[in-house]
Amino acid sequence: MTLQDWLTVALRDLAPAAQERMTAEYHAHVQDAMTDGLTEPEAVATLGDPAQVNRALRRTYLMREEQKTLQLDNQWVWRAMTVLLLGYGASLLMIGGAESSGPLAGVVTAVTLGGTAWCLLRSRPDALRNYLLNQLGGWLVNFSFWLGWSVQAWLGDPPSFGAILWLLPVMWVVWFVEVGRVVRRIRRTLTLGGRA
């Protein structure tokens, strides 16, 4: 197998920065092996199975389609997040204002959590910020329901689905572990492209 054939399989669907970096590294490895007296097919064989290498690289770096998805127009993402938070806060006000701990509790919760998110994410690279905003929107809605149910339980009116009070935090741990794994892949890929 030639080096080019091996690279075609091993680097399939990786983000361009990862493909460029890995191509240079594998070329250098094969050149060193050929300098030591191996033929090109023998040197390429020392790189291992290209399909296994591809799976390992996909766990380490972003794929091309993932990177395209994360490179959205930044202004659109911020506008969508603002509309989502304001709409969510208004809906909480309309459906639960009388039952909550105050008439503006939904709006205050949405604006507080959204403002915190903005402060934490405003200095992140676009791809990383877009991914985190995508995850954060769902988590904020999830968290506000959990918070409301917890307050109900504290006041002696437990919701009929009390197990969710314990199930949601466990789900968040799993969610945060997965988000952390993807964030590490994004950072590694951005570092290769010189944008971290």
Side-chain angles (χ1 to χ4, degrees):
M1 174 181 278
T2 67
L3 178 59
Q4 191 55 47
D5 294 338
W6 190 91
L7 289 172
T8 300
V9 175
L11 304 181
R12 183 182 66 244
D13 296 331
L14 286 180
Q19 283 186 347
E20 291 171 15
R21 176 70 169 272
M22 295 299 112
T23 298
E25 288 185 15
Y26 290 128
H27 269 288
H29 177 78
V30 169
Q31 289 299 323
D32 288 345
M34 290 173 63
T35 303
D36 292 340
L38 295 177
T39 64
E40 182 180 4
E42 292 170 337
V44 169
T46 65
L47 297 174
D49 178 30
Q52 288 180 345
V53 170
N54 183 261
R55 283 191 293 276
L57 290 173
R58 286 173 182 237
R59 286 190 300 270
T60 305
Y61 301 108
L62 291 178
M63 291 183 288
R64 180 180 295 122
E65 290 304 314
E66 288 176 311
Q67 189 170 16
K68 282 182 187 177
T69 302
L70 293 173
Q71 296 299 337
L72 296 172
D73 176 22
N74 200 28
Q75 293 300 317
W76 180 86
V77 174
W78 284 110
R79 286 183 188 130
M81 184 69 168
T82 302
V83 168
L84 172 72
L85 287 171
L86 292 177
Y88 177 63
S91 69
L92 286 179
L93 178 63
M94 287 187 282
I95 64 174
E99 301 161 6
S100 65
S101 58
L104 296 177
V107 174
V108 170
T109 300
V111 170
T112 302
L113 294 176
T116 303
W118 182 80
C119 290
L120 293 174
L121 298 176
R122 65 188 169 133
S123 64
R124 302 287 181 248
D126 287 345
L128 185 58
R129 178 174 35 216
N130 291 345
Y131 173 74
L132 290 174
L133 282 173
N134 184 5
Q135 297 300 311
L136 190 65
W139 187 82
L140 288 176
V141 171
N142 189 303
F143 176 76
S144 67
F145 280 128
W146 178 82
L147 187 62
W149 295 330
S150 297
V151 169
Q152 280 180 328
W154 180 265
L155 296 175
D157 183 25
S160 60
F161 28 81
I164 291 178
L165 293 176
W166 302 106
L167 181 63
L168 288 178
V170 170
M171 185 183 74
W172 296 339
V173 170
V174 173
W175 194 351
F176 289 144
V177 167
E178 176 62 16
V179 167
R181 187 184 66 77
V182 174
V183 164
R184 286 190 299 277
R185 289 177 57 226
I186 292 170
R187 284 187 173 156
R188 286 185 202 118
T189 305
L190 290 177
T191 300
L192 291 178
R195 287 175 289 191

